[in-house]
Amino acid sequence: MPQLTEQNLLWEKVRSELSQVLPNDIFQSWFTDLECLDVNGENVVLGVQNAFTAYWINDNYLDLIAKSFQAELGHPVSVSISNDRAAKKEEAAKVEPAPTRERLVTETPRPRVNTAKKSGDANLNPRNTFENFVIGSNSQLAHAASIAVAHAPAGAYNPLFLYGETGLGKTHLMHAVGHHILQNRPDARVVYLSSEKFTNEFISAIQENTLTKFRQRYRNVDVLLIDDVQFLSGKERIQEEFFHTFNDLFESQKQIFLSSDRPANEIAKLESRLVSRFQWGLVTDIQAPDFETRVAILRKKALQHNYDISDEVVNFIAKHIAKNIRRLEGALIKVCSYSSLTNKPLNIATCEQLLSDVLMEAAKQQLNIDTIQKKVAEYFELRHSDMLSRRRPAHIAVPRQIAMYLSRELTKHSLQEVGEAFGGRDHGTVIHACKQVDNLVEQDDSVRHSVEYLKNILSK
Ligand SMILES: Nc1ncnc2c1ncn2[C@@H]1O[C@H](COP(=O)(O)OP(=O)(O)OP(=O)(O)O)[C@@H](O)[C@H]1O
């Protein structure tokens, strides 16, 4: 079919252009399995193998891909990413359901580069080494504990339990420990996997009658690195299995290193015997890096990728993306890839434009309820205390509801947390407030105007 050939040819050209502007490891991780499903006038549909890749490409590389198509076609195009085929295949095979976008977002999206490049059976990303890890005051203890474990597996802290928010380097440190041990003892059996993968493999082992093999695999290792143990929450049979794996390893003096997005005792529906075992060794956390550490991380990454980037741009990114090193790195790659594709030097205006989504997301994370209450009170000429009080006259109640509504819209706080912050109200009150404001926004121009104005100034 000539049309198909044309489409394939076009796609090959675009791919080759992308391969030249993107670092090789990024290209290999995200673009090798990407297919061009349809080019129809100004609409291009690309297909990927799973929902996560769809999400990640959508979030980081869509502009770049669209620019490449535009360069070939001579007109702008709109690119969409579909994982329908993969999802259908998965459904047909009745495996685990493909993650939805919401699940991906809440389950802390992780670029698959962490596992795409394996170092032997251990499943370690070769870039996640101690040498590539920038130590800041946020990660000093976690780093020191990891070094101790790497130097004396099962002799220093066992287990080592590292917790912290997403994208702050937990996996990086686990892999670094694995690499270090393997360097000293190449025959050591080091295994890294997420608790989700452990779960899936356990389920397959039951289905395929291969439990003995599964147990041999995980109970005969020297070092077990298990990421994201919070996903064990509520899974009783997996917890039971993991409990025995843990005991076997611990009794044979093998190193266990666990990571989680929260302390063990805050993981809901985690058996208390596991909680207590997770706390037997050393528990340490990792925090968001300060500005200087963010700058140092960006410089190091720029050097690794061979990017020529000005201090001004590094400072801009470091200033605006504070809470997640993965996003920091994603932003760096995005602006540098764009600049190399278009051959234009980077300036702040271009960065603002390229990173608008990430900046908005970062602003959301930084904004807190207290600031929203103060701004809303100021706008309606009320006192901050009116936001917390139980007084009900409309000139106070409506602004208070607007502040609750904005707290839900612009921050990631739960209904309970928002309620708490407004003088200890319950989550039902917050739901009611949000509904009221939704209705008022539709029916009352002045409320709509106020809400839009406040949203605008608070998002800046
Ligand atoms: N201190 C650091 N120095 C250099 N790179 C870092 C540092 N911390 C994190 N990174 C990089 O940031 C990215 C995200 O880190 P990592 O995957 O280890 O996060 P995580 O805490 O395991 O996140 P999640 O909870 O989502 O699993 C990786 O590319 C990692 O190499």
Side-chain angles (χ1 to χ4, degrees), residues 107-111 113-114 125 127-128 132-136 138-139 164-173 192 227-228 230 259-261 286 293 297 300-301 324-327 329:
E107 285 187 4
T108 61
R110 174 211 312 285
V113 283
N114 268 337
N125 180 340
R127 285 193 295 141
N128 288 344
N132 288 342
F133 190 84
V134 176
I135 309 161
N138 61 308
S139 58
E165 300 271 325
T166 181
L168 294 181
K170 301 183 295 294
T171 305
H172 190 132
L173 283 175
Y192 162 86
D227 217 344
D228 294 324
Q230 73 274 6
S259 91
S260 165
D261 69 350
I286 193 160
T293 311
I297 291 173
K300 187 147 196 153
K301 303 268 176 201
N324 184 327
I325 297 171
R326 184 176 298 124
R327 278 183 191 260
E329 191 174 1

Short mmCIF file of all heavy atoms in Angstrom, two decimals, residues 107-111 113-114 125 127-128 132-136 138-139 164-173 192 227-228 230 259-261 286 293 297 300-301 324-327 329, ligand 1:
data_model
loop_
_atom_site.label_atom_id
_atom_site.label_comp_id
_atom_site.label_asym_id
_atom_site.label_seq_id
_atom_site.Cartn_x
_atom_site.Cartn_y
_atom_site.Cartn_z
N GLU A 107 0.71 6.44 41.58
CA GLU A 107 1.71 5.44 41.92
C GLU A 107 3.09 5.89 41.49
O GLU A 107 3.92 5.09 41.06
CB GLU A 107 1.37 4.11 41.27
CG GLU A 107 0.21 3.42 41.97
CD GLU A 107 -0.02 2.04 41.44
OE1 GLU A 107 0.76 1.59 40.59
OE2 GLU A 107 -0.99 1.43 41.87
N THR A 108 3.30 7.19 41.51
CA THR A 108 4.63 7.73 41.32
C THR A 108 5.33 7.25 40.07
O THR A 108 6.17 6.36 40.13
CB THR A 108 5.52 7.38 42.52
OG1 THR A 108 5.63 5.97 42.62
CG2 THR A 108 4.97 7.95 43.79
N PRO A 109 4.96 7.84 38.92
CA PRO A 109 5.54 7.43 37.67
C PRO A 109 7.05 7.42 37.71
O PRO A 109 7.68 8.31 38.24
CB PRO A 109 5.06 8.50 36.69
CG PRO A 109 4.43 9.55 37.50
CD PRO A 109 4.07 8.97 38.81
N ARG A 110 7.63 6.36 37.18
CA ARG A 110 9.07 6.24 37.19
C ARG A 110 9.52 5.93 35.79
O ARG A 110 9.02 5.03 35.14
CB ARG A 110 9.42 5.07 38.09
CG ARG A 110 10.87 4.71 38.09
CD ARG A 110 11.05 3.24 38.32
NE ARG A 110 10.25 2.79 39.43
CZ ARG A 110 10.58 3.03 40.69
NH1 ARG A 110 11.63 3.69 40.98
NH2 ARG A 110 9.82 2.58 41.63
N PRO A 111 10.49 6.69 35.25
CA PRO A 111 10.94 6.38 33.92
C PRO A 111 11.55 5.00 33.91
O PRO A 111 12.31 4.64 34.81
CB PRO A 111 12.02 7.44 33.64
CG PRO A 111 12.35 8.03 34.92
CD PRO A 111 11.25 7.75 35.88
N VAL A 113 13.86 3.83 32.52
CA VAL A 113 15.31 3.70 32.39
C VAL A 113 15.90 2.97 33.58
O VAL A 113 16.92 2.35 33.48
CB VAL A 113 16.03 5.07 32.22
CG1 VAL A 113 15.84 5.58 30.82
CG2 VAL A 113 15.57 6.06 33.25
N ASN A 114 15.19 3.04 34.70
CA ASN A 114 15.71 2.36 35.88
C ASN A 114 15.83 0.87 35.68
O ASN A 114 16.68 0.24 36.25
CB ASN A 114 14.77 2.60 37.07
CG ASN A 114 15.22 3.80 37.84
OD1 ASN A 114 16.38 4.17 37.76
ND2 ASN A 114 14.32 4.42 38.56
N ASN A 125 20.19 -0.33 36.95
CA ASN A 125 20.50 0.68 35.94
C ASN A 125 21.97 1.09 36.11
O ASN A 125 22.36 1.54 37.18
CB ASN A 125 19.57 1.88 36.16
CG ASN A 125 19.82 3.00 35.17
OD1 ASN A 125 20.88 3.07 34.55
ND2 ASN A 125 18.84 3.86 35.02
N ARG A 127 23.54 3.58 35.37
CA ARG A 127 23.81 4.98 35.74
C ARG A 127 23.58 5.25 37.22
O ARG A 127 24.02 6.28 37.75
CB ARG A 127 22.93 5.91 34.90
CG ARG A 127 23.44 6.05 33.47
CD ARG A 127 22.76 7.19 32.76
NE ARG A 127 21.35 6.94 32.60
CZ ARG A 127 20.40 7.84 32.73
NH1 ARG A 127 20.70 9.07 33.05
NH2 ARG A 127 19.13 7.54 32.55
N ASN A 128 22.87 4.35 37.88
CA ASN A 128 22.57 4.58 39.30
C ASN A 128 23.71 4.12 40.20
O ASN A 128 23.60 3.12 40.92
CB ASN A 128 21.28 3.87 39.70
CG ASN A 128 20.06 4.54 39.12
OD1 ASN A 128 20.13 5.69 38.67
ND2 ASN A 128 18.93 3.85 39.11
N ASN A 132 27.57 8.74 40.63
CA ASN A 132 26.61 9.66 39.99
C ASN A 132 25.62 10.27 40.97
O ASN A 132 24.73 11.02 40.57
CB ASN A 132 25.81 8.91 38.91
CG ASN A 132 26.67 8.60 37.72
OD1 ASN A 132 27.73 9.22 37.54
ND2 ASN A 132 26.24 7.67 36.88
N PHE A 133 25.74 9.93 42.23
CA PHE A 133 24.78 10.44 43.21
C PHE A 133 25.33 11.70 43.86
O PHE A 133 26.45 11.71 44.39
CB PHE A 133 24.54 9.36 44.29
CG PHE A 133 23.39 9.68 45.20
CD1 PHE A 133 22.08 9.36 44.85
CD2 PHE A 133 23.61 10.31 46.43
CE1 PHE A 133 21.02 9.65 45.69
CE2 PHE A 133 22.55 10.61 47.28
CZ PHE A 133 21.26 10.27 46.91
N VAL A 134 24.57 12.77 43.79
CA VAL A 134 25.00 14.02 44.40
C VAL A 134 24.48 14.05 45.85
O VAL A 134 23.28 13.94 46.08
CB VAL A 134 24.44 15.23 43.61
CG1 VAL A 134 24.80 16.54 44.29
CG2 VAL A 134 24.93 15.20 42.18
N ILE A 135 25.40 14.20 46.77
CA ILE A 135 25.00 14.17 48.18
C ILE A 135 24.62 15.57 48.63
O ILE A 135 25.37 16.53 48.43
CB ILE A 135 26.15 13.66 49.07
CG1 ILE A 135 26.68 12.35 48.52
CG2 ILE A 135 25.72 13.50 50.52
CD1 ILE A 135 28.08 12.01 49.03
N GLY A 136 23.47 15.69 49.23
CA GLY A 136 23.04 16.97 49.80
C GLY A 136 22.64 16.74 51.24
O GLY A 136 22.57 15.58 51.68
N ASN A 138 19.88 16.80 52.36
CA ASN A 138 18.64 16.04 52.31
C ASN A 138 18.86 14.52 52.27
O ASN A 138 17.99 13.75 52.64
CB ASN A 138 17.85 16.42 51.06
CG ASN A 138 18.63 16.11 49.79
OD1 ASN A 138 19.78 16.52 49.64
ND2 ASN A 138 18.03 15.36 48.88
N SER A 139 20.05 14.13 51.77
CA SER A 139 20.25 12.69 51.52
C SER A 139 21.50 12.16 52.21
O SER A 139 21.90 11.03 51.96
CB SER A 139 20.38 12.46 50.01
OG SER A 139 21.46 13.21 49.50
N GLY A 164 10.82 7.94 51.51
CA GLY A 164 10.78 9.33 51.07
C GLY A 164 9.85 9.47 49.87
O GLY A 164 9.45 8.47 49.27
N GLU A 165 9.56 10.71 49.55
CA GLU A 165 8.63 10.99 48.44
C GLU A 165 9.20 10.48 47.13
O GLU A 165 10.39 10.18 47.04
CB GLU A 165 8.42 12.50 48.32
CG GLU A 165 7.85 13.16 49.56
CD GLU A 165 6.34 13.19 49.56
OE1 GLU A 165 5.77 13.33 48.47
OE2 GLU A 165 5.75 13.05 50.64
N THR A 166 8.36 10.49 46.14
CA THR A 166 8.76 9.97 44.84
C THR A 166 9.86 10.81 44.16
O THR A 166 9.92 12.02 44.36
CB THR A 166 7.53 9.87 43.91
OG1 THR A 166 7.97 9.33 42.67
CG2 THR A 166 6.87 11.19 43.66
N GLY A 167 10.72 10.14 43.45
CA GLY A 167 11.72 10.82 42.62
C GLY A 167 12.86 11.46 43.39
O GLY A 167 13.50 12.38 42.90
N LEU A 168 13.16 10.96 44.60
CA LEU A 168 14.21 11.61 45.39
C LEU A 168 15.47 10.78 45.51
O LEU A 168 16.39 11.13 46.25
CB LEU A 168 13.68 11.97 46.79
CG LEU A 168 12.58 13.03 46.81
CD1 LEU A 168 12.15 13.33 48.24
CD2 LEU A 168 13.03 14.31 46.13
N GLY A 169 15.53 9.65 44.80
CA GLY A 169 16.80 8.92 44.77
C GLY A 169 16.84 7.62 45.55
O GLY A 169 17.93 7.08 45.75
N LYS A 170 15.68 7.10 45.95
CA LYS A 170 15.69 5.84 46.72
C LYS A 170 16.18 4.69 45.83
O LYS A 170 17.07 3.94 46.22
CB LYS A 170 14.28 5.53 47.26
CG LYS A 170 13.74 6.62 48.17
CD LYS A 170 12.39 6.27 48.74
CE LYS A 170 11.28 6.15 47.72
NZ LYS A 170 10.95 7.42 47.04
N THR A 171 15.59 4.60 44.64
CA THR A 171 16.00 3.52 43.73
C THR A 171 17.47 3.68 43.37
O THR A 171 18.21 2.70 43.29
CB THR A 171 15.14 3.57 42.45
OG1 THR A 171 13.77 3.53 42.84
CG2 THR A 171 15.45 2.41 41.53
N HIS A 172 17.87 4.92 43.15
CA HIS A 172 19.26 5.19 42.77
C HIS A 172 20.20 4.61 43.85
O HIS A 172 21.16 3.90 43.53
CB HIS A 172 19.45 6.70 42.62
CG HIS A 172 20.76 7.09 42.02
ND1 HIS A 172 20.88 8.00 40.99
CD2 HIS A 172 22.03 6.69 42.29
CE1 HIS A 172 22.15 8.12 40.67
NE2 HIS A 172 22.86 7.35 41.45
N LEU A 173 19.89 4.87 45.10
CA LEU A 173 20.78 4.37 46.17
C LEU A 173 20.75 2.85 46.27
O LEU A 173 21.77 2.22 46.51
CB LEU A 173 20.40 5.01 47.51
CG LEU A 173 20.87 6.46 47.68
CD1 LEU A 173 20.35 7.05 49.00
CD2 LEU A 173 22.41 6.56 47.66
N TYR A 192 17.35 -7.01 42.46
CA TYR A 192 16.54 -5.81 42.68
C TYR A 192 15.19 -6.03 42.00
O TYR A 192 15.14 -6.46 40.84
CB TYR A 192 17.22 -4.57 42.07
CG TYR A 192 16.25 -3.42 41.89
CD1 TYR A 192 15.99 -2.54 42.94
CD2 TYR A 192 15.55 -3.25 40.70
CE1 TYR A 192 15.07 -1.52 42.80
CE2 TYR A 192 14.63 -2.23 40.55
CZ TYR A 192 14.38 -1.37 41.60
OH TYR A 192 13.46 -0.37 41.46
N ASP A 227 11.99 -2.50 46.12
CA ASP A 227 11.55 -1.11 45.99
C ASP A 227 10.04 -0.98 46.22
O ASP A 227 9.29 -1.89 45.88
CB ASP A 227 11.86 -0.68 44.53
CG ASP A 227 12.31 0.77 44.46
OD1 ASP A 227 12.10 1.50 45.44
OD2 ASP A 227 12.89 1.16 43.43
N ASP A 228 9.65 0.14 46.78
CA ASP A 228 8.23 0.51 46.89
C ASP A 228 7.40 -0.53 47.66
O ASP A 228 6.36 -0.99 47.17
CB ASP A 228 7.62 0.71 45.48
CG ASP A 228 8.23 1.91 44.78
OD1 ASP A 228 8.54 2.90 45.46
OD2 ASP A 228 8.42 1.86 43.54
N GLN A 230 5.43 -0.12 49.85
CA GLN A 230 4.07 0.32 50.19
C GLN A 230 3.01 -0.41 49.37
O GLN A 230 1.85 -0.50 49.76
CB GLN A 230 3.92 1.84 50.06
CG GLN A 230 3.86 2.41 48.65
CD GLN A 230 5.26 2.67 48.06
OE1 GLN A 230 6.26 2.33 48.68
NE2 GLN A 230 5.32 3.27 46.88
N SER A 259 12.66 -0.05 50.20
CA SER A 259 12.30 1.36 50.09
C SER A 259 10.79 1.50 50.10
O SER A 259 10.06 0.56 49.75
CB SER A 259 12.86 1.97 48.81
OG SER A 259 11.92 1.85 47.78
N SER A 260 10.35 2.68 50.48
CA SER A 260 8.91 2.92 50.57
C SER A 260 8.67 4.42 50.44
O SER A 260 9.59 5.22 50.64
CB SER A 260 8.42 2.44 51.94
OG SER A 260 7.15 2.94 52.24
N ASP A 261 7.45 4.79 50.11
CA ASP A 261 7.18 6.23 50.04
C ASP A 261 6.78 6.80 51.40
O ASP A 261 6.53 7.98 51.53
CB ASP A 261 6.12 6.53 48.96
CG ASP A 261 4.74 6.03 49.33
OD1 ASP A 261 4.61 5.29 50.34
OD2 ASP A 261 3.77 6.38 48.64
N ILE A 286 14.73 10.24 53.14
CA ILE A 286 15.39 11.10 52.16
C ILE A 286 14.40 12.22 51.85
O ILE A 286 13.22 11.98 51.66
CB ILE A 286 15.80 10.24 50.94
CG1 ILE A 286 16.76 10.96 50.03
CG2 ILE A 286 14.65 9.73 50.14
CD1 ILE A 286 17.54 10.00 49.12
N THR A 293 21.80 21.93 46.14
CA THR A 293 21.91 20.52 45.72
C THR A 293 21.25 20.33 44.36
O THR A 293 21.75 19.59 43.50
CB THR A 293 21.25 19.59 46.77
OG1 THR A 293 21.76 19.96 48.05
CG2 THR A 293 21.54 18.14 46.51
N ILE A 297 23.00 18.83 41.11
CA ILE A 297 22.47 17.66 40.39
C ILE A 297 22.32 18.00 38.90
O ILE A 297 22.74 17.24 38.02
CB ILE A 297 21.10 17.20 40.98
CG1 ILE A 297 21.32 16.62 42.39
CG2 ILE A 297 20.41 16.19 40.08
CD1 ILE A 297 20.05 16.29 43.14
N LYS A 300 25.66 18.10 37.16
CA LYS A 300 26.22 16.75 36.96
C LYS A 300 25.50 16.04 35.80
O LYS A 300 26.14 15.41 34.96
CB LYS A 300 26.04 15.95 38.26
CG LYS A 300 26.71 14.62 38.22
CD LYS A 300 27.23 14.24 39.60
CE LYS A 300 28.22 13.12 39.51
NZ LYS A 300 29.17 13.11 40.57
N LYS A 301 24.18 16.17 35.77
CA LYS A 301 23.42 15.50 34.71
C LYS A 301 23.76 16.13 33.36
O LYS A 301 23.85 15.42 32.36
CB LYS A 301 21.91 15.64 34.94
CG LYS A 301 21.42 15.11 36.26
CD LYS A 301 20.99 13.67 36.18
CE LYS A 301 20.60 13.16 37.55
NZ LYS A 301 20.63 11.74 37.71
N ASN A 324 11.13 17.06 43.19
CA ASN A 324 11.27 15.76 42.56
C ASN A 324 12.45 15.78 41.58
O ASN A 324 12.44 16.52 40.60
CB ASN A 324 9.95 15.47 41.82
CG ASN A 324 9.91 14.11 41.18
OD1 ASN A 324 10.93 13.59 40.73
ND2 ASN A 324 8.73 13.53 41.13
N ILE A 325 13.46 14.97 41.88
CA ILE A 325 14.69 15.00 41.07
C ILE A 325 14.44 14.40 39.69
O ILE A 325 15.04 14.79 38.70
CB ILE A 325 15.84 14.29 41.81
CG1 ILE A 325 16.10 15.06 43.10
CG2 ILE A 325 17.11 14.22 40.97
CD1 ILE A 325 17.03 14.40 44.07
N ARG A 326 13.50 13.47 39.60
CA ARG A 326 13.17 12.91 38.29
C ARG A 326 12.62 14.01 37.38
O ARG A 326 12.94 14.09 36.21
CB ARG A 326 12.14 11.80 38.47
CG ARG A 326 11.81 11.11 37.17
CD ARG A 326 10.86 9.96 37.38
NE ARG A 326 11.44 8.95 38.22
CZ ARG A 326 10.88 8.52 39.34
NH1 ARG A 326 9.73 9.04 39.75
NH2 ARG A 326 11.45 7.60 40.06
N ARG A 327 11.77 14.86 37.94
CA ARG A 327 11.21 15.95 37.14
C ARG A 327 12.30 16.97 36.78
O ARG A 327 12.28 17.57 35.71
CB ARG A 327 10.09 16.66 37.90
CG ARG A 327 8.82 15.92 37.76
CD ARG A 327 7.66 16.62 38.43
NE ARG A 327 6.55 15.69 38.45
CZ ARG A 327 5.55 15.71 37.60
NH1 ARG A 327 5.49 16.63 36.68
NH2 ARG A 327 4.58 14.81 37.67
N GLU A 329 15.40 16.31 36.25
CA GLU A 329 16.16 15.72 35.15
C GLU A 329 15.34 15.75 33.85
O GLU A 329 15.87 16.07 32.78
CB GLU A 329 16.48 14.26 35.53
CG GLU A 329 17.47 13.60 34.64
CD GLU A 329 17.85 12.20 35.17
OE1 GLU A 329 17.32 11.76 36.21
OE2 GLU A 329 18.70 11.57 34.53
N1 LIG B 1 21.11 12.81 44.71
C1 LIG B 1 20.97 12.49 43.41
N2 LIG B 1 21.99 12.71 42.55
C2 LIG B 1 21.85 12.42 41.24
N3 LIG B 1 20.72 11.93 40.69
C3 LIG B 1 19.69 11.69 41.49
C4 LIG B 1 19.75 11.95 42.90
N4 LIG B 1 18.59 11.62 43.45
C5 LIG B 1 17.81 11.17 42.45
N5 LIG B 1 18.47 11.21 41.27
C6 LIG B 1 17.94 10.82 39.96
O1 LIG B 1 16.56 11.15 39.93
C7 LIG B 1 15.81 10.15 39.28
C8 LIG B 1 14.75 9.61 40.22
O2 LIG B 1 15.38 8.93 41.30
P1 LIG B 1 14.87 7.51 41.83
O3 LIG B 1 14.27 6.71 40.72
O4 LIG B 1 15.98 6.89 42.58
O5 LIG B 1 13.71 8.01 42.79
P2 LIG B 1 12.82 7.21 43.85
O6 LIG B 1 12.95 7.92 45.12
O7 LIG B 1 13.17 5.76 43.80
O8 LIG B 1 11.38 7.40 43.28
P3 LIG B 1 10.09 6.44 43.37
O9 LIG B 1 9.53 6.59 44.73
O10 LIG B 1 9.21 7.03 42.33
O11 LIG B 1 10.51 5.05 43.09
C9 LIG B 1 16.79 9.09 38.83
O12 LIG B 1 17.14 9.34 37.48
C10 LIG B 1 18.00 9.32 39.74
O13 LIG B 1 19.20 8.94 39.12
#
